[in-house]
Amino acid sequence: MKSIHSQHVLDFAGVGVGPFNLSIAALLEPQNQLTSTFFESRDCFSWHPGLLLDNTNMQTMFLKDLCTGVDPNNKYSFLNYLVKNKKFYRFLSAELNCISRHEFSDYLSWAAKQLTNVKFSCKVEEITFEDNLFSLQTTQGEFKAKNLCIGTGKVPAIPECAKKHIGNKVFHAAEIGLHERDFSNKRVMIIGGGQSGADIFLNVMREKWGKVASLDWLSRRPNYQPLDEAAFTNEFFTPDYVESFINLNPKVKSIEVAAQKLTSDGITQACLLEIYRELYHRFDVLKENKWVRLLPHRTMDDLTQIHNTFSVKATNALSGQCEFHQADIVILATGFDAPSPTCLKNIIPQLELDTQGRYQLSSNFELQWEHNQTNKIFAVNAGMHSHGIAEPQLSLMAWRSAKIINALAKQDIYDIGAGEGMIDWVSHQDINQLVVA
């Protein structure tokens, strides 16, 4: 019989412990007025372990950590991580413009190990709501909570035509670092032109998994496009912009998110230059026979297996023609989906969803549902359609966490004011009062 932990009702229960819920946990821990526990099925913190490849770097600055944006004195800051791990001065001397994914992952794990309100090896199997309380059935018993935060993250997006072939020869990019690989003398094809595809391409080219027979990189994008890292572009990742975005017309929001794709989903300039230099060195300097093909502007339409090899059918957007490419290994750098967690199946019917089945979120990242006046459900990394391009990124992680905590506590525990932004995104002047000369 499972134990019941209902003698102490939690103010806040978090489902899933990725970076975003970890940030809320780090900011909640020193606050005595709210009790919280964050539940994670894995036995320790893990952040896309399959993508922690050689020479992979963050796209955000290290100060955009779990808490510094709203609480620089918090002991779970990245700077404190450097000091406690005795590497602060060497970090300064390294003059890093961006840190490696390995180091940021290590920082997150360091914080997770110390947090007293994080419970690992505890999977939330089912959530029900009764008598103004959420009941969380977990592998370690039942827990009661007044409010929830859903932070279960995303799952690999697999193209429909590839699903029946998934295995050790066709797999998602998120799996590549989880198993021993040997691509020696194999024809390798990477599908997807984002950062993950670029990182894997560079590692394959540098023979991390053996010397391949050929390497193809297919992308529906018109070219291998750079991340837009300009100063004014970074204004999209500020509280000022998000506060303006939240009140826009849904159609305008959709257009804006699509137009801003490369502000978060491009390839870093440094990575693109590294790839180009590697290609130049191999094929122009060393004069190797060209065994690499770059195939942008192509969409994979079908994937079929022929004996021990695969045929990739693709449409070329420039010529309009159908192409067929052969490969022994197919790596799907095709992004991630965000399905509703199965443990919420009893709650989903009570939620307000839009026509695409997406959560309806308030400015405080609170889901609209039948009992939101008494019991709140928050969600992180689930509101790009409502809050804009910054929502799935780390940039405003601490600010969002503080906003959720303030809403939960019904008081300003954290100061989330960021001052006036550089850009006037919307006019607050009543146009009906304008005098036309």
Side-chain angles (χ1 to χ4, degrees):
M1 181 177 178
K2 291 183 177 179
S3 59
I4 299 177
H5 304 268
S6 56
Q7 62 270 30
H8 298 297
V9 176
L10 297 167
D11 291 310
F12 199 57
V15 183
V17 180
F20 295 148
N21 261 356
L22 193 66
S23 171
I24 300 174
L27 290 171
L28 270 177
E29 191 191 59
Q31 306 302 325
N32 297 324
Q33 60 268 58
L34 294 170
T35 58
S36 64
T37 299
F38 292 77
F39 301 92
E40 172 57 51
S41 60
R42 295 168 297 185
D43 57 5
C44 63
F45 183 85
S46 182
W47 183 52
H48 295 307
L51 290 172
L52 293 180
L53 305 176
D54 297 341
N55 302 306
T56 54
N57 295 312
M58 298 292 296
Q59 292 185 341
T60 53
M61 189 181 184
F62 60 86
L63 287 178
K64 295 178 178 181
D65 60 10
L66 296 172
C67 48
T68 295
V70 296
D71 185 13
N73 296 319
N74 191 291
K75 68 178 182 178
Y76 298 112
S77 71
F78 183 80
L79 289 178
N80 195 43
Y81 157 80
L82 293 176
V83 172
K84 295 300 183 182
N85 284 276
K86 310 300 183 188
K87 57 179 183 176
F88 176 78
Y89 296 103
R90 293 186 298 281
F91 179 85
L92 294 181
S93 297
E95 298 184 8
L96 296 170
N97 291 324
C98 59
I99 64 173
S100 70
R101 287 179 60 87
H102 281 91
E103 184 164 30
F104 199 75
S105 178
D106 186 62
Y107 155 65
L108 296 175
S109 296
W110 168 82
K113 289 174 184 175
Q114 300 177 74
L115 282 163
T116 58
N117 55 353
V118 171
K119 184 179 285 293
F120 288 105
S121 301
C122 190
K123 180 181 180 181
V124 178
E125 298 177 320
E126 186 178 35
I127 300 176
T128 55
F129 182 77
E130 189 176 3
D131 297 330
N132 291 334
L133 286 177
F134 294 102
S135 175
L136 290 79
Q137 302 294 335
T138 80
T139 51
Q140 293 189 26
E142 181 185 49
F143 294 82
K144 301 283 188 179
K146 298 175 185 176
N147 307 281
L148 292 178
C149 187
I150 308 302
T152 49
K154 298 185 177 183
V155 298
I158 307 294
E160 193 62 37
C161 64
K163 288 181 178 177
K164 62 183 177 182
H165 302 296
I166 293 297
N168 60 358
K169 294 182 179 179
V170 178
F171 53 88
H172 194 270
E175 302 290 318
I176 193 166
L178 300 181
H179 306 283
E180 292 293 326
R181 310 281 181 186
D182 185 2
F183 297 162
S184 300
N185 301 314
K186 297 289 196 305
R187 295 169 298 176
V188 175
M189 172 167 278
I190 300 167
I191 309 292
Q195 186 67 51
S196 295
D199 290 336
I200 292 170
F201 179 84
L202 190 57
N203 275 271
V204 173
M205 194 161 53
R206 290 176 171 171
E207 303 176 15
K208 177 177 177 62
W209 300 285
K211 184 171 179 56
V212 301
S214 65
L215 174 59
D216 294 344
W217 188 9
L218 185 146
S219 171
R220 70 173 57 171
R221 303 183 189 196
N223 204 334
Y224 300 95
Q225 296 174 300
L227 184 72
D228 187 349
E229 301 176 275
F232 285 105
T233 299
N234 284 331
E235 287 291 301
F236 292 142
F237 301 92
T238 62
D240 185 55
Y241 179 73
V242 175
E243 297 285 16
S244 298
F245 187 94
I246 191 70
N247 295 313
L248 298 179
N249 181 284
K251 290 184 178 179
V252 175
K253 289 182 179 182
S254 180
I255 293 170
E256 287 298 290
V257 167
Q260 296 165 10
K261 183 177 179 66
L262 292 178
T263 65
S264 63
D265 198 24
I267 305 169
T268 61
Q269 297 274 6
C271 183
L272 286 172
L273 185 57
E274 204 170 353
I275 288 173
Y276 199 95
R277 286 173 174 171
E278 186 78 17
L279 292 167
Y280 176 78
H281 181 69
R282 285 183 177 274
F283 304 122
D284 285 295
V285 178
L286 300 182
K287 296 182 172 56
E288 294 180 14
N289 291 326
K290 195 173 181 185
W291 47 272
V292 171
R293 289 193 306 167
L294 302 178
L295 304 169
H297 245 319
R298 292 161 170 89
T299 299
M300 180 175 72
D301 299 317
D302 198 13
L303 179 65
T304 56
Q305 186 169 3
I306 304 172
H307 302 299
N308 292 322
T309 65
F310 297 90
S311 176
V312 176
K313 178 184 177 183
T315 299
N316 188 313
L318 291 179
S319 67
Q321 294 180 334
C322 179
E323 302 174 352
F324 292 88
H325 305 281
Q326 311 306 312
D328 302 308
I329 303 291
V330 179
I331 304 169
L332 305 167
T334 46
F336 294 85
D337 289 329
S340 294
T342 56
C343 64
L344 270 188
K345 64 182 179 181
N346 297 311
I347 306 294
I348 291 292
Q350 302 177 64
L351 301 180
E352 289 185 22
L353 305 175
D354 66 10
T355 56
Q356 298 181 52
R358 300 175 301 193
Y359 300 141
Q360 294 297 283
L361 296 167
S362 74
S363 61
N364 294 326
F365 305 92
E366 180 185 337
L367 274 62
Q368 302 303 303
W369 79 302
E370 292 181 10
H371 304 282
N372 62 350
Q373 295 300 315
T374 56
N375 303 84
K376 299 183 182 300
I377 305 175
F378 298 91
V380 292
N381 196 9
M384 186 162 70
H385 61 288
S386 59
H387 287 71
I389 200 72
E391 173 60 2
Q393 308 301 315
L394 298 175
S395 296
L396 289 178
M397 177 166 59
W399 174 79
R400 175 182 54 202
S401 298
K403 199 170 178 66
I404 289 173
I405 292 170
N406 287 353
L408 182 68
K410 298 180 180 179
Q411 61 176 295
D412 290 340
I413 291 179
Y414 287 105
D415 181 358
I416 57 174
E420 187 176 357
M422 290 286 189
I423 299 174
D424 291 329
W425 294 108
V426 294
S427 174
H428 299 291
Q429 185 177 16
D430 187 349
I431 61 172
N432 294 322
Q433 295 179 0
L434 292 177
V435 178
V436 180

